[in-house]
C-alpha cells in the first residue's frame, strides 16, 4: 500500500486497481483515478497545494527502463496528463520533480501553477540501490532534505560451491540478485 498525505488532510492511496482518497477523519474511501487499460496506478505523491498529485502507471513487475509513466492529476477532476517516463515514482520538492533514470536520481524544474515540466533534468545522485522490485526508493521533504539508499558494494555473483566450500563455477553474470531458490534436485537455481 503506497500513500501520500496532502496538505488538506486527505490521504491518497493505491488499492487493488487505481488510486483512492480518504479524509484523515476517517470518511469512506472513494476512487480518484481508476485505470482504463493495463497497469497499476500506484505510488501517489501530493503536490504542496494538497489538490494536485503525481502518480505512476506501472505496467510491469519486471524491472526495466522507463517502466513507470508519470502523470499529474487533481482531486477535483478526472483528468490526468502524462508528464514523462521514469524508472521510479516522482515527487515534488523545491520547484523540481525528482525521479530516477538508470539508477540516477534526477531533478527537473516543474511549474506548480501550470503543472508542467519547464526545463531539462539534471543528476543529483548516482548508483541508487535498485530496491526489491528493481525500482529505486527515495524520499524528499519540502525543507530540501533527500533520503535514498546507494549501492556501495559490487554486484553479487552467484556461484556453485562444493561441500568443502571450494568454488566450482560462477552462475550467470554479476547483478542484483535476491532470494535465490534451488530446485528440489539441487541442479537448478531460480
Amino acid at each position: 500500500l503506497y500513500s501520500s498525505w496532502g496538505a488538506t488532510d486527505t490521504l491518497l492511496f493505491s488499492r487493488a486497481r487505481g488510486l483512492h482518497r480518504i479524509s484523515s477523519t476517517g470518511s469512506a474511501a472513494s476512487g480518484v483515478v481508476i485505470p482504463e487499460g493495463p497497469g497499476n496506478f500506484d505510488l501517489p505523491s501530493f503536490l504542496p497545494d494538497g489538490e494536485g498529485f503525481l502518480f505512476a502507471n506501472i505496467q510491469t513487475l519486471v524491472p526495466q527502463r522507463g517502466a513507470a509513466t508519470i502523470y499529474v492529476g487533481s482531486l477535483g477532476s478526472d483528468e490526468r496528463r502524462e508528464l514523462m517516463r521514469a524508472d521510479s515514482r516522482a515527487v515534488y520538492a523545491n520547484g523540481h520533480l525528482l525521479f530516477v533514470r538508470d539508477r540516477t536520481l534526477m531533478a527537473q524544474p516543474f511549474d506548480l501553477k501550470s503543472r508542467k515540466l519547464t526545463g531539462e533534468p539534471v543528476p543529483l545522485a548516482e548508483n541508487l540501490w535498485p530496491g526489491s522490485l528493481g525500482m529505486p526508493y527515495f524520499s524528499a521533504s519540502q525543507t530540501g532534505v533527500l533520503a535514498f539508499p546507494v549501492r556501495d558494494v559490487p554486484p553479487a555473483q552467484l556461484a556453485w560451491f562444493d561441500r568443502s566450500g571450494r568454488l566450482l563455477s560462477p552462475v550467470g553474470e554479476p547483478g542484483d540478485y535476491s532470494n535465490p531458490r534451488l530446485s528440489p534436485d539441487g541442479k537448478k537455481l531460480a
Side-chain angles (χ1 to χ4, degrees), residues 3 45 88-93 98-100 105 124 128 136-149:
S3 62
S45 177
S88 71
R89 68 188 185 117
V91 299
Y92 175 87
L98 305 178
F99 57 93
V100 175
L105 182 61
L124 297 179
L128 268 65
Y137 302 110
F138 64 93
S139 185
S141 77
Q142 295 307 312
T143 64
V145 175
L146 292 174
F148 51 88

Side-chain angles (χ1 to χ4, degrees), residues 102-124:
D102 292 326
R103 292 181 48 195
T104 299
L105 182 61
M106 307 292 287
Q108 187 164 0
F110 183 78
D111 183 332
L112 276 176
K113 188 173 182 179
S114 68
R115 295 185 179 160
K116 292 182 178 179
L117 296 165
T118 59
E120 294 300 314
V122 295
L124 297 179

Side-chain angles (χ1 to χ4, degrees), residues 14-177:
S14 60
R15 179 175 69 182
R17 285 184 44 88
L19 294 178
H20 302 269
R21 71 190 270 184
I22 189 169
S23 168
S24 65
T25 60
S27 64
S30 61
V32 174
V33 177
I34 307 298
E36 297 167 357
N40 297 311
F41 286 87
D42 212 355
L43 309 168
S45 177
F46 268 110
L47 295 172
D49 65 4
E51 288 294 318
F53 58 90
L54 305 166
F55 62 97
N57 179 296
I58 303 163
Q59 297 187 6
T60 180
L61 291 178
V62 178
Q64 58 184 284
R65 186 164 197 248
T69 304
I70 307 301
Y71 292 89
V72 64
S74 176
L75 292 179
S77 170
D78 291 341
E79 283 187 48
R80 57 183 181 245
R81 187 174 69 245
E82 183 177 333
L83 293 175
M84 71 173 81
R85 303 281 299 183
D87 301 349
S88 71
R89 68 188 185 117
V91 299
Y92 175 87
N94 297 323
H96 293 80
L97 288 193
L98 305 178
F99 57 93
V100 175
R101 282 198 182 135
D102 292 326
R103 292 181 48 195
T104 299
L105 182 61
M106 307 292 287
Q108 187 164 0
F110 183 78
D111 183 332
L112 276 176
K113 188 173 182 179
S114 68
R115 295 185 179 160
K116 292 182 178 179
L117 296 165
T118 59
E120 294 300 314
V122 295
L124 297 179
E126 296 181 350
N127 210 20
L128 268 65
W129 186 261
S132 60
L133 293 175
M135 190 169 291
Y137 302 110
F138 64 93
S139 185
S141 77
Q142 295 307 312
T143 64
V145 175
L146 292 174
F148 51 88
V150 295
R151 180 180 188 94
D152 58 358
V153 296
Q157 173 65 64
L158 297 175
W160 292 108
F161 290 85
D162 66 16
R163 290 180 186 255
S164 69
R166 184 174 57 93
L167 174 66
L168 297 175
S169 66
V171 177
E173 296 296 319
D176 295 315
Y177 299 106

